[in-house]
Amino acid sequence: MVPRTSTETTVGQLVVGAIMLGCAAAGPFPSPVPLLFVIAAVGTANAAFDLMRTFGSALLGGVAVASVGLAAVPFATCSNDRFTDVFTCAGDAPTWHMTGSVLVAGLSGASLVLARIAGTASVDQRLARIQEDLNAMRGRR
């Protein structure tokens, strides 16, 4: 396995976040999918930094779970005339809703993986510094 630096994972997080924001701004997704993309992008931005990695990962996990849960809801609500005002039911809106929900869940998962890699690399770097300090202290005696 090739060790990754925090710079590589930060660039990966930047790319995933840009894709999320692009999908929110330019995608043909009905509400609330663009909001899920924006929340996931905020989680991705937080997960890129050591201090906020836990909060960002929690936010990304929540968005992924919510996206999976919301993926098929328009198909259920649009099949009943009573709930057609909850989600947009015209044309391909339910299909785009499901597509966007699955896409935001996948991108959130990818960002979670990058956050985990960055966290592991950060811990490895700290342990290496501690080991160097211990070796330096042993060499002085």
Side-chain angles (χ1 to χ4, degrees):
M1 186 167 118
V2 177
R4 301 283 180 220
T5 64
S6 61
T7 305
E8 291 171 329
T9 55
T10 303
V11 169
Q13 292 283 41
L14 180 67
V15 169
V16 170
I19 291 170
M20 289 176 181
L21 290 176
C23 287
F29 308 112
S31 179
V33 176
L35 180 62
L36 290 172
F37 276 115
V38 171
I39 294 170
V42 169
T44 298
N46 283 313
F49 300 102
D50 283 340
L51 183 62
M52 295 298 290
R53 187 163 292 128
T54 302
F55 173 73
S57 295
L59 196 57
L60 286 165
V63 168
V65 169
S67 298
V68 170
L70 286 174
V73 171
F75 288 104
T77 58
C78 291
S79 64
N80 187 344
D81 291 336
R82 190 169 131 190
F83 300 112
T84 55
D85 59 343
V86 176
F87 289 99
T88 306
C89 295
D92 289 340
T95 304
W96 280 112
H97 185 279
M98 179 182 273
T99 303
S101 295
V102 170
L103 188 59
V104 76
L107 288 171
S108 295
S111 185
L112 279 169
V113 168
L114 288 170
R116 177 70 177 160
I117 291 170
T120 303
S122 176
V123 168
D124 289 345
Q125 289 171 352
R126 280 189 230 140
L127 289 174
R129 282 193 299 261
I130 291 170
Q131 185 65 41
E132 289 173 8
D133 291 343
L134 287 173
N135 290 339
M137 289 171 60
R138 287 181 190 145
R140 288 187 206 157
R141 290 183 182 179

Coordinates of all heavy atoms in Angstrom, one line a residue, residues 10-68:
T10 N -6.2 16.1 0.8 CA -6.9 17.4 0.8 C -7.3 17.7 -0.7 O -8.4 18.3 -0.9 CB -6.0 18.4 1.4 OG1 -5.6 18.0 2.7 CG2 -6.6 19.8 1.4
V11 N -6.4 17.5 -1.6 CA -6.8 17.7 -3.0 C -8.0 16.8 -3.4 O -8.9 17.3 -4.1 CB -5.6 17.5 -3.9 CG1 -6.0 17.5 -5.4 CG2 -4.5 18.5 -3.7
G12 N -8.0 15.6 -3.0 CA -9.1 14.7 -3.3 C -10.4 15.2 -2.7 O -11.4 15.2 -3.3
Q13 N -10.3 15.7 -1.4 CA -11.5 16.3 -0.8 C -12.0 17.6 -1.5 O -13.2 17.8 -1.7 CB -11.2 16.7 0.7 CG -11.0 15.5 1.6 CD -12.2 14.8 2.0 OE1 -13.1 14.6 1.2 NE2 -12.3 14.4 3.2
L14 N -11.0 18.4 -2.0 CA -11.4 19.5 -2.8 C -12.1 19.2 -4.1 O -13.1 19.8 -4.4 CB -10.1 20.3 -3.1 CG -10.3 21.6 -3.9 CD1 -11.0 22.6 -3.1 CD2 -8.9 22.2 -4.3
V15 N -11.6 18.1 -4.8 CA -12.3 17.7 -6.0 C -13.7 17.2 -5.7 O -14.6 17.5 -6.4 CB -11.4 16.6 -6.7 CG1 -12.2 16.0 -7.8 CG2 -10.1 17.2 -7.2
V16 N -13.8 16.4 -4.7 CA -15.1 15.8 -4.3 C -16.1 16.9 -3.9 O -17.3 17.0 -4.4 CB -15.0 14.8 -3.2 CG1 -16.4 14.4 -2.7 CG2 -14.3 13.5 -3.7
G17 N -15.6 17.9 -3.2 CA -16.4 19.0 -2.8 C -16.9 19.9 -3.9 O -18.0 20.4 -4.0
A18 N -16.0 20.1 -4.9 CA -16.3 20.9 -6.1 C -17.3 20.1 -6.9 O -18.3 20.8 -7.5 CB -15.0 21.1 -6.9
I19 N -17.2 18.8 -7.0 CA -18.2 18.1 -7.8 C -19.6 18.2 -7.1 O -20.6 18.4 -7.7 CB -17.8 16.6 -7.9 CG1 -16.6 16.4 -8.8 CG2 -19.0 15.7 -8.4 CD1 -16.0 15.1 -8.8
M20 N -19.6 18.1 -5.7 CA -20.9 18.3 -5.0 C -21.5 19.6 -5.2 O -22.7 19.7 -5.5 CB -20.6 18.1 -3.5 CG -20.3 16.7 -3.1 SD -19.9 16.6 -1.3 CE -19.6 14.9 -1.1
L21 N -20.7 20.7 -5.1 CA -21.2 22.0 -5.4 C -21.7 22.2 -6.8 O -22.7 22.9 -7.0 CB -20.2 23.1 -5.0 CG -19.9 23.2 -3.5 CD1 -18.8 24.2 -3.2 CD2 -21.2 23.6 -2.7
G22 N -20.9 21.6 -7.7 CA -21.4 21.7 -9.1 C -22.7 21.0 -9.4 O -23.6 21.5 -10.1
C23 N -22.9 19.9 -8.7 CA -24.2 19.1 -8.9 C -25.3 19.9 -8.2 O -26.4 19.9 -8.8 CB -24.1 17.8 -8.2 SG -23.1 16.6 -9.1
A24 N -25.0 20.6 -7.1 CA -26.1 21.4 -6.5 C -26.4 22.6 -7.3 O -27.6 22.9 -7.4 CB -25.6 21.8 -5.1
A25 N -25.5 23.2 -7.9 CA -25.7 24.4 -8.7 C -26.3 24.2 -10.1 O -27.2 24.9 -10.5 CB -24.4 25.3 -8.8
A26 N -25.7 23.2 -10.8 CA -26.1 23.0 -12.2 C -26.9 21.7 -12.5 O -27.3 21.5 -13.6 CB -24.8 23.0 -13.0
G27 N -27.0 20.9 -11.5 CA -27.7 19.6 -11.7 C -29.2 19.8 -11.9 O -29.8 20.7 -11.3
P28 N -29.8 18.8 -12.6 CA -31.3 18.9 -12.8 C -32.1 18.2 -11.7 O -33.2 17.7 -11.9 CB -31.5 18.1 -14.1 CG -30.4 17.1 -14.0 CD -29.2 17.8 -13.4
F29 N -31.5 18.3 -10.4 CA -32.1 17.6 -9.3 C -33.2 18.4 -8.6 O -33.0 19.6 -8.3 CB -31.0 17.2 -8.3 CG -29.9 16.5 -9.0 CD1 -28.6 17.1 -9.0 CD2 -30.0 15.2 -9.5 CE1 -27.6 16.4 -9.6 CE2 -29.0 14.6 -10.1 CZ -27.7 15.2 -10.2
P30 N -34.4 17.8 -8.3 CA -35.4 18.5 -7.6 C -35.1 18.6 -6.1 O -34.2 17.9 -5.6 CB -36.7 17.6 -7.8 CG -36.1 16.3 -8.1 CD -34.8 16.4 -8.7
S31 N -35.8 19.5 -5.5 CA -35.6 19.7 -4.0 C -35.9 18.4 -3.3 O -36.8 17.7 -3.7 CB -36.5 20.8 -3.6 OG -36.4 21.0 -2.2
P32 N -35.3 18.0 -2.3 CA -34.2 18.6 -1.4 C -32.8 18.2 -1.8 O -31.9 18.3 -1.0 CB -34.6 18.2 0.0 CG -35.1 16.8 -0.2 CD -35.8 16.9 -1.5
V33 N -32.6 17.6 -3.0 CA -31.3 17.0 -3.3 C -30.2 18.0 -3.4 O -29.1 17.8 -2.9 CB -31.4 16.2 -4.7 CG1 -30.1 15.6 -5.1 CG2 -32.4 15.0 -4.5
P34 N -30.4 19.2 -4.0 CA -29.4 20.2 -4.0 C -28.9 20.6 -2.6 O -27.7 20.8 -2.3 CB -30.0 21.4 -4.7 CG -31.0 20.8 -5.6 CD -31.6 19.7 -4.9
L35 N -29.9 20.6 -1.7 CA -29.5 20.9 -0.3 C -28.7 19.8 0.3 O -27.7 20.1 1.1 CB -30.8 21.1 0.6 CG -30.6 21.4 2.1 CD1 -29.9 22.7 2.2 CD2 -31.9 21.4 2.8
L36 N -28.9 18.6 0.0 CA -28.1 17.5 0.5 C -26.7 17.6 -0.1 O -25.7 17.4 0.6 CB -28.7 16.1 0.0 CG -30.0 15.7 0.8 CD1 -30.5 14.5 0.1 CD2 -29.7 15.5 2.2
F37 N -26.6 18.0 -1.4 CA -25.2 18.2 -2.0 C -24.5 19.4 -1.2 O -23.3 19.2 -0.9 CB -25.3 18.6 -3.4 CG -25.4 17.4 -4.4 CD1 -26.6 17.2 -5.1 CD2 -24.4 16.5 -4.5 CE1 -26.7 16.2 -6.0 CE2 -24.5 15.5 -5.4 CZ -25.7 15.3 -6.1
V38 N -25.1 20.4 -0.9 CA -24.5 21.6 -0.2 C -24.1 21.1 1.2 O -22.9 21.4 1.6 CB -25.4 22.8 -0.1 CG1 -24.8 23.9 0.8 CG2 -25.6 23.3 -1.5
I39 N -24.9 20.4 1.9 CA -24.6 19.9 3.3 C -23.4 19.0 3.2 O -22.5 19.0 4.0 CB -25.8 19.3 4.0 CG1 -26.9 20.4 4.2 CG2 -25.4 18.6 5.3 CD1 -28.2 19.8 4.7
A40 N -23.4 18.1 2.2 CA -22.3 17.2 2.0 C -21.0 17.9 1.7 O -19.9 17.5 2.2 CB -22.6 16.1 1.0
A41 N -21.1 19.0 0.9 CA -19.9 19.8 0.6 C -19.3 20.5 1.8 O -18.1 20.5 2.0 CB -20.2 20.8 -0.5
V42 N -20.2 20.9 2.7 CA -19.8 21.5 4.0 C -19.1 20.4 4.8 O -18.0 20.7 5.4 CB -20.9 22.1 4.8 CG1 -20.6 22.5 6.2 CG2 -21.5 23.3 4.0
G43 N -19.6 19.2 4.9 CA -19.0 18.1 5.6 C -17.6 17.8 5.0 O -16.7 17.5 5.7
T44 N -17.5 17.8 3.7 CA -16.3 17.5 3.0 C -15.2 18.6 3.4 O -14.1 18.2 3.6 CB -16.5 17.4 1.5 OG1 -17.4 16.4 1.2 CG2 -15.2 17.2 0.7
A45 N -15.6 19.8 3.4 CA -14.7 20.9 3.7 C -14.2 20.7 5.2 O -13.0 20.9 5.5 CB -15.4 22.3 3.6
N46 N -15.1 20.4 6.1 CA -14.7 20.1 7.5 C -13.8 18.9 7.6 O -12.9 18.9 8.4 CB -16.0 20.0 8.3 CG -16.6 21.3 8.7 OD1 -15.9 22.3 9.0 ND2 -17.9 21.4 8.5
A47 N -14.1 17.9 6.9 CA -13.3 16.6 7.0 C -11.9 16.8 6.4 O -11.1 15.9 6.7 CB -14.1 15.5 6.2
A48 N -11.7 17.8 5.7 CA -10.3 18.0 5.1 C -9.3 18.5 6.2 O -8.1 18.5 5.9 CB -10.4 19.0 3.9
F49 N -9.8 19.0 7.3 CA -8.9 19.6 8.3 C -8.9 18.7 9.6 O -10.0 18.2 10.0 CB -9.4 21.0 8.7 CG -9.4 21.9 7.6 CD1 -10.6 22.3 6.9 CD2 -8.2 22.5 7.1 CE1 -10.6 23.1 5.8 CE2 -8.2 23.3 6.0 CZ -9.4 23.7 5.4
D50 N -7.7 18.5 10.2 CA -7.6 17.7 11.3 C -8.6 18.1 12.5 O -9.2 17.2 13.1 CB -6.2 17.8 11.9 CG -5.2 17.0 11.1 OD1 -5.6 16.1 10.4 OD2 -4.0 17.2 11.2
L51 N -8.7 19.3 12.7 CA -9.5 19.8 13.9 C -11.0 19.5 13.7 O -11.6 19.1 14.6 CB -9.3 21.3 14.0 CG -10.0 21.9 15.2 CD1 -9.5 21.3 16.5 CD2 -9.8 23.4 15.2
M52 N -11.5 19.5 12.5 CA -12.9 19.3 12.2 C -13.2 18.0 11.6 O -14.3 17.8 11.1 CB -13.4 20.5 11.3 CG -13.3 21.8 12.0 SD -14.4 22.0 13.4 CE -16.0 21.9 12.7
R53 N -12.3 17.1 11.5 CA -12.5 15.8 10.8 C -13.6 15.0 11.3 O -14.4 14.5 10.6 CB -11.2 15.0 10.7 CG -11.3 13.8 9.8 CD -10.0 13.2 9.4 NE -9.3 14.2 8.6 CZ -8.0 14.6 8.8 NH1 -7.3 14.2 9.8 NH2 -7.5 15.5 7.9
T54 N -13.7 15.0 12.6 CA -14.8 14.2 13.3 C -16.1 14.7 13.0 O -17.1 14.0 12.6 CB -14.6 14.1 14.8 OG1 -13.3 13.5 15.0 CG2 -15.6 13.2 15.4
F55 N -16.3 16.1 13.1 CA -17.6 16.7 12.8 C -17.9 16.5 11.3 O -19.1 16.2 10.9 CB -17.5 18.2 13.1 CG -18.8 18.9 12.7 CD1 -19.9 18.8 13.3 CD2 -18.7 19.8 11.6 CE1 -21.1 19.5 12.9 CE2 -19.8 20.5 11.1 CZ -21.0 20.3 11.8
G56 N -16.9 16.7 10.4 CA -17.2 16.6 9.0 C -17.6 15.2 8.6 O -18.5 14.9 7.8
S57 N -16.9 14.2 9.2 CA -17.2 12.8 9.0 C -18.7 12.5 9.5 O -19.4 11.7 8.8 CB -16.2 11.9 9.6 OG -15.0 12.0 9.0
A58 N -19.0 13.0 10.6 CA -20.4 12.7 11.1 C -21.4 13.4 10.2 O -22.5 12.8 9.9 CB -20.5 13.3 12.5
L59 N -21.1 14.6 9.7 CA -22.0 15.2 8.8 C -22.2 14.5 7.5 O -23.3 14.3 7.0 CB -21.5 16.7 8.5 CG -22.5 17.7 7.9 CD1 -23.7 17.8 8.7 CD2 -21.8 19.0 7.8
L60 N -21.0 14.0 7.0 CA -21.1 13.2 5.7 C -21.8 11.9 5.9 O -22.6 11.5 5.0 CB -19.6 12.9 5.3 CG -18.9 14.1 4.7 CD1 -17.4 13.8 4.6 CD2 -19.5 14.4 3.3
G61 N -21.6 11.2 7.1 CA -22.4 10.0 7.3 C -23.9 10.2 7.4 O -24.7 9.5 6.9
G62 N -24.2 11.3 8.1 CA -25.7 11.7 8.2 C -26.3 12.0 6.8 O -27.4 11.5 6.5
V63 N -25.6 12.7 6.0 CA -26.1 13.0 4.6 C -26.2 11.7 3.8 O -27.2 11.5 3.1 CB -25.1 14.0 3.9 CG1 -25.5 14.1 2.4 CG2 -25.3 15.4 4.6
A64 N -25.2 10.8 3.9 CA -25.3 9.6 3.2 C -26.5 8.7 3.6 O -27.2 8.2 2.7 CB -24.0 8.8 3.4
V65 N -26.7 8.6 4.9 CA -27.9 7.9 5.4 C -29.2 8.5 5.0 O -30.1 7.9 4.5 CB -27.8 7.7 6.9 CG1 -29.1 7.2 7.5 CG2 -26.6 6.8 7.3
A66 N -29.3 9.8 5.1 CA -30.5 10.6 4.7 C -30.7 10.4 3.2 O -31.9 10.2 2.8 CB -30.4 12.0 5.0
S67 N -29.7 10.4 2.4 CA -29.8 10.3 0.9 C -30.4 8.9 0.6 O -31.2 8.8 -0.3 CB -28.5 10.5 0.2 OG -28.0 11.8 0.5
V68 N -29.8 7.9 1.2 CA -30.3 6.6 0.9 C -31.8 6.4 1.3 O -32.6 5.8 0.6 CB -29.4 5.5 1.6 CG1 -30.0 4.1 1.5 CG2 -28.0 5.5 1.0

